[in-house]
Amino acid sequence: MSEHKDFLRTIVEKDLKAGKYEEVVTRFPPEPNGFPHIGHAKSIAINFGIARDYNGHCNLRMDDTNPTTEDTKYVEALKDAVEWLGFDWEGDVRFTSDYFSKLYDYAIELIKMGKAYVDSVGEEEMRELRGTVTEAGKRSKYAERSVEENLDLFERMKNGEFKEGEHILRAKIDMSAANMKMRDPLMYRIRHEHHFRAGDAWAIYPMYDFAHCLSDYIEGVTHSICTLEFENNRDIYNWVLDTLGLEPPHPYQHEFARLGINYTVMSKRKLLELVESGVVNGWDDPRLPTIAGYRRKGYTPESILNFCDSIGIAKANSMVDLAQLEFSIRDDLNKKVPRVMCVLDPLKVTLTNYEGTEELDASYYPEDVPKEGSRKLPFSKEIYIDRADFMEEPPKGYFRLTPEQPVRLKHAYIITCKEVIKDANGTIVEIKAEYHPDSKSGQDTSGIKVKSAIQWVDGKAHKEVEVRLYDRLFACEAPEDIEDINTDSLKVINNALVEPAVVNEKPDERFQFEREGYFYADPVDYTDEKPVFNKIVGLKDSYSKKKKSPKSESKAQVKKVQVDGEVVPMNEAEQALFDRYTNTLKLNGMVADILARDEKLSAFYDEALNELDSPVNLANIVANDVARELKEKDVNTLNFSAKQIAELVKMLDDETISSKIAKQVFEEMVKSGENPRDIVEAKGLIQISDLAVISPIIDEVIAKNPDNVEKFKAGNTKLLGFFVGQVLKATGGKANPQVVNQLVNEKLK
Ligand code: ATP
Ligand code: MG
């Protein structure tokens, strides 16, 4: 759970504290008329997340009151989505249709109270009688029917004696209400349709406004969380429960902003259109914003949940940039998945001076990733590289293989081009090159300078695979319908080549194909004969880069003009800094890279180092937090100095504060320009490492969560994080995480 509570959690906490409810009960109430999309993921994350955070429970309820559009296959898809995201619903899946009898009885009660009536006006007249925002409406003459007549008609409606539209049941509320929704809203309508669960038992079906509040009440829901468009329906929600005089506690409705993402459509109706028209290949097409689509594409549940968390819960609708979702998956996979080589567009290279074969050792993970594992890379006289990695007449800034410029084969040798062979049309069909025997990766004594390392596969020992590259399904930011489709959203490559370990060892289902992006073994079409990989996301956000105007780029950046996502080599000064950072100061490569390539940052870092000899912790805060500030500002307009950053890190080093608190203090420094030590003292943020203080807090958390204790003891060690998190939360992030971790572990043994 994020540090700052959202407004829904604030409400829930207040209600619990006030004793309004004993336990939080939420529900996720989709209509089973389509596959759930990422907007539903947000609703799932909120409803199930709140129930989890406050030890309550969350129901999964199919809101199946519309017989024409609903289907079991959608019920299954909804269950799948919730489970895949890692949540459990309480008990069985519920269905509004299971409450049809109860709802009918409640309707009869309202009729008997004179609070509901059968109306028989036509649609048009009804609209006229409703009035306008500035003009009160009028009741139809049928509102004068007696209770007996209403009861009789309603029963016959139910029995199917009337045609659709002949009668409706309306609540008798107020035809001049300022909230138009309160002008005698519909409660039931006649539908001669077969219901996928209730069969033909009913000729009338309840409306959302009547069914939803009562279903919530029947299930003991406490917080009925829905999207903003239901704001005006809240009055009806409360009216129904109050008018029926139902025994408290009642559920209350709270609204949040629905999620919208650019370059996509998000209503089930429009998604259904795309599926039915064959524009996409089914509900799980990786181009759709459905949960099944993201799942098939290779997104992880974690990345979706992190995304939902990162966008927060708001009270005003807004559009989220697709790039933010893509960031979440990239961020999740970056340190998780093996990095392997795949050549999408093979070009043969013959190494004229190489004989025999060998197997090269290659780690699956880069050095800064704390995962282990490696594979053998077969290497011989013939290899394939990507066609894009060779250019005969390269533009300036091209760092890969050219007739003049050698290149490194990743994990292998440096090669130099000797001859370019073309067919009759002038298309390059082969490169003859020489390898440098003393340039083997990790033991390079050749002294040859190269500007990049490229992926390759062995000429014989490789596997041909299908690769599916996806682009945005829509060509414009706020698409309306199929007209706005991007006709190039899927590109299939039939004969890409991967190194053998990918398909033989199968170290994972997801991979980083070096320099290409993240890929996922398609869960449906993949076979050992023909492996299929879906591109999940590229290595960087290629769109936002293109959008940047050249004007906004500083001179230093312009110098680094590059050809399609190449890693830019460092200049000499940068390289010298990088070497010092990694070799002498032992910074990890990524942090060193960020600092070395940015003059402002490296100067700031060196100044802070003069104050405090704590290279790693200083580097982390400078490369992450200070870097963010320096992006927009100049050093002398910053609200803090290098000296103050050193002071902050000093407190971190001597464990006065936790790293979580350090972030908080930094934010405060940015805003107020105060000294870190003053901030810590004024706000009482000193880290708690005292066992006597922490121990009872842990006991309390353990006592409050018997279910999780049991699960932990039964072997679900992942819950350690839950307990530690709860304790940290209880101390406002001030408890020393290491101490908490150790102590929790001991207590749960
Ligand atoms: P759609 O218009 O896409 O069909 P819906 O609101 O009709 O969506 P339901 O199945 O009725 O879909 O919704 C189930 C739950 O998911 C509701 O509580 C709804 O408010 C929520 N929900 C639907 N779309 C979004 C969204 N884009 N962002 C957040 N929550 C959503
Ligand atoms: Mg709907």
PDB file of all heavy atoms in Angstrom, residues 162-167 190-193:
ATOM      1  N   PHE A 162     -47.852  -9.432 -20.298  1.00  0.00           N
ATOM      2  CA  PHE A 162     -47.837  -8.216 -21.115  1.00  0.00           C
ATOM      3  C   PHE A 162     -46.656  -8.201 -22.080  1.00  0.00           C
ATOM      4  O   PHE A 162     -45.682  -8.930 -21.897  1.00  0.00           O
ATOM      5  CB  PHE A 162     -47.752  -6.983 -20.204  1.00  0.00           C
ATOM      6  CG  PHE A 162     -48.866  -6.907 -19.206  1.00  0.00           C
ATOM      7  CD1 PHE A 162     -48.596  -7.059 -17.841  1.00  0.00           C
ATOM      8  CD2 PHE A 162     -50.178  -6.699 -19.610  1.00  0.00           C
ATOM      9  CE1 PHE A 162     -49.613  -7.001 -16.907  1.00  0.00           C
ATOM     10  CE2 PHE A 162     -51.197  -6.638 -18.672  1.00  0.00           C
ATOM     11  CZ  PHE A 162     -50.914  -6.792 -17.317  1.00  0.00           C
ATOM     12  N   LYS A 163     -46.804  -7.331 -23.035  1.00  0.00           N
ATOM     13  CA  LYS A 163     -45.704  -7.183 -24.006  1.00  0.00           C
ATOM     14  C   LYS A 163     -44.606  -6.307 -23.411  1.00  0.00           C
ATOM     15  O   LYS A 163     -44.833  -5.506 -22.519  1.00  0.00           O
ATOM     16  CB  LYS A 163     -46.247  -6.509 -25.284  1.00  0.00           C
ATOM     17  CG  LYS A 163     -47.132  -7.410 -26.126  1.00  0.00           C
ATOM     18  CD  LYS A 163     -47.185  -6.932 -27.576  1.00  0.00           C
ATOM     19  CE  LYS A 163     -47.896  -5.607 -27.755  1.00  0.00           C
ATOM     20  NZ  LYS A 163     -49.374  -5.662 -27.521  1.00  0.00           N
ATOM     21  N   GLU A 164     -43.406  -6.436 -23.968  1.00  0.00           N
ATOM     22  CA  GLU A 164     -42.303  -5.577 -23.537  1.00  0.00           C
ATOM     23  C   GLU A 164     -42.691  -4.120 -23.741  1.00  0.00           C
ATOM     24  O   GLU A 164     -43.264  -3.767 -24.770  1.00  0.00           O
ATOM     25  CB  GLU A 164     -41.027  -5.892 -24.332  1.00  0.00           C
ATOM     26  CG  GLU A 164     -40.454  -7.246 -23.983  1.00  0.00           C
ATOM     27  CD  GLU A 164     -39.056  -7.477 -24.559  1.00  0.00           C
ATOM     28  OE1 GLU A 164     -38.481  -6.536 -25.132  1.00  0.00           O
ATOM     29  OE2 GLU A 164     -38.569  -8.613 -24.422  1.00  0.00           O
ATOM     30  N   GLY A 165     -42.444  -3.280 -22.776  1.00  0.00           N
ATOM     31  CA  GLY A 165     -42.709  -1.850 -22.909  1.00  0.00           C
ATOM     32  C   GLY A 165     -44.118  -1.448 -22.524  1.00  0.00           C
ATOM     33  O   GLY A 165     -44.409  -0.255 -22.401  1.00  0.00           O
ATOM     34  N   GLU A 166     -44.988  -2.437 -22.318  1.00  0.00           N
ATOM     35  CA  GLU A 166     -46.378  -2.099 -22.013  1.00  0.00           C
ATOM     36  C   GLU A 166     -46.493  -1.454 -20.624  1.00  0.00           C
ATOM     37  O   GLU A 166     -47.233  -0.496 -20.446  1.00  0.00           O
ATOM     38  CB  GLU A 166     -47.218  -3.377 -22.097  1.00  0.00           C
ATOM     39  CG  GLU A 166     -48.620  -3.145 -22.622  1.00  0.00           C
ATOM     40  CD  GLU A 166     -49.372  -4.464 -22.835  1.00  0.00           C
ATOM     41  OE1 GLU A 166     -48.739  -5.467 -23.251  1.00  0.00           O
ATOM     42  OE2 GLU A 166     -50.593  -4.501 -22.576  1.00  0.00           O
ATOM     43  N   HIS A 167     -45.775  -2.022 -19.677  1.00  0.00           N
ATOM     44  CA  HIS A 167     -45.763  -1.449 -18.320  1.00  0.00           C
ATOM     45  C   HIS A 167     -44.336  -1.427 -17.779  1.00  0.00           C
ATOM     46  O   HIS A 167     -43.499  -2.231 -18.193  1.00  0.00           O
ATOM     47  CB  HIS A 167     -46.591  -2.315 -17.352  1.00  0.00           C
ATOM     48  CG  HIS A 167     -48.006  -2.533 -17.781  1.00  0.00           C
ATOM     49  ND1 HIS A 167     -48.950  -1.526 -17.803  1.00  0.00           N
ATOM     50  CD2 HIS A 167     -48.640  -3.662 -18.213  1.00  0.00           C
ATOM     51  CE1 HIS A 167     -50.102  -2.014 -18.210  1.00  0.00           C
ATOM     52  NE2 HIS A 167     -49.950  -3.313 -18.488  1.00  0.00           N
ATOM     53  N   ILE A 190     -40.236  -5.078 -18.447  1.00  0.00           N
ATOM     54  CA  ILE A 190     -40.614  -6.397 -18.977  1.00  0.00           C
ATOM     55  C   ILE A 190     -39.599  -6.821 -20.037  1.00  0.00           C
ATOM     56  O   ILE A 190     -39.238  -6.026 -20.911  1.00  0.00           O
ATOM     57  CB  ILE A 190     -42.026  -6.349 -19.613  1.00  0.00           C
ATOM     58  CG1 ILE A 190     -43.058  -5.971 -18.541  1.00  0.00           C
ATOM     59  CG2 ILE A 190     -42.377  -7.685 -20.280  1.00  0.00           C
ATOM     60  CD1 ILE A 190     -44.450  -5.691 -19.106  1.00  0.00           C
ATOM     61  N   ARG A 191     -39.146  -8.038 -19.939  1.00  0.00           N
ATOM     62  CA  ARG A 191     -38.240  -8.583 -20.943  1.00  0.00           C
ATOM     63  C   ARG A 191     -38.590 -10.047 -21.189  1.00  0.00           C
ATOM     64  O   ARG A 191     -38.477 -10.853 -20.276  1.00  0.00           O
ATOM     65  CB  ARG A 191     -36.775  -8.523 -20.441  1.00  0.00           C
ATOM     66  CG  ARG A 191     -36.078  -7.198 -20.670  1.00  0.00           C
ATOM     67  CD  ARG A 191     -36.072  -6.910 -22.150  1.00  0.00           C
ATOM     68  NE  ARG A 191     -35.424  -5.644 -22.445  1.00  0.00           N
ATOM     69  CZ  ARG A 191     -34.117  -5.518 -22.658  1.00  0.00           C
ATOM     70  NH1 ARG A 191     -33.322  -6.554 -22.586  1.00  0.00           N
ATOM     71  NH2 ARG A 191     -33.612  -4.350 -22.961  1.00  0.00           N
ATOM     72  N   HIS A 192     -39.013 -10.358 -22.388  1.00  0.00           N
ATOM     73  CA  HIS A 192     -39.287 -11.775 -22.686  1.00  0.00           C
ATOM     74  C   HIS A 192     -38.034 -12.396 -23.259  1.00  0.00           C
ATOM     75  O   HIS A 192     -37.914 -12.617 -24.454  1.00  0.00           O
ATOM     76  CB  HIS A 192     -40.464 -11.898 -23.659  1.00  0.00           C
ATOM     77  CG  HIS A 192     -41.754 -11.429 -23.065  1.00  0.00           C
ATOM     78  ND1 HIS A 192     -42.427 -12.139 -22.102  1.00  0.00           N
ATOM     79  CD2 HIS A 192     -42.485 -10.297 -23.265  1.00  0.00           C
ATOM     80  CE1 HIS A 192     -43.520 -11.483 -21.744  1.00  0.00           C
ATOM     81  NE2 HIS A 192     -43.569 -10.355 -22.432  1.00  0.00           N
ATOM     82  N   GLU A 193     -37.079 -12.624 -22.407  1.00  0.00           N
ATOM     83  CA  GLU A 193     -35.784 -13.133 -22.869  1.00  0.00           C
ATOM     84  C   GLU A 193     -35.367 -14.293 -21.979  1.00  0.00           C
ATOM     85  O   GLU A 193     -35.685 -14.334 -20.792  1.00  0.00           O
ATOM     86  CB  GLU A 193     -34.709 -12.044 -22.764  1.00  0.00           C
ATOM     87  CG  GLU A 193     -34.939 -10.832 -23.633  1.00  0.00           C
ATOM     88  CD  GLU A 193     -34.429 -11.025 -25.048  1.00  0.00           C
ATOM     89  OE1 GLU A 193     -33.822 -12.088 -25.321  1.00  0.00           O
ATOM     90  OE2 GLU A 193     -34.657 -10.122 -25.866  1.00  0.00           O
TER      91      GLU A 193
END
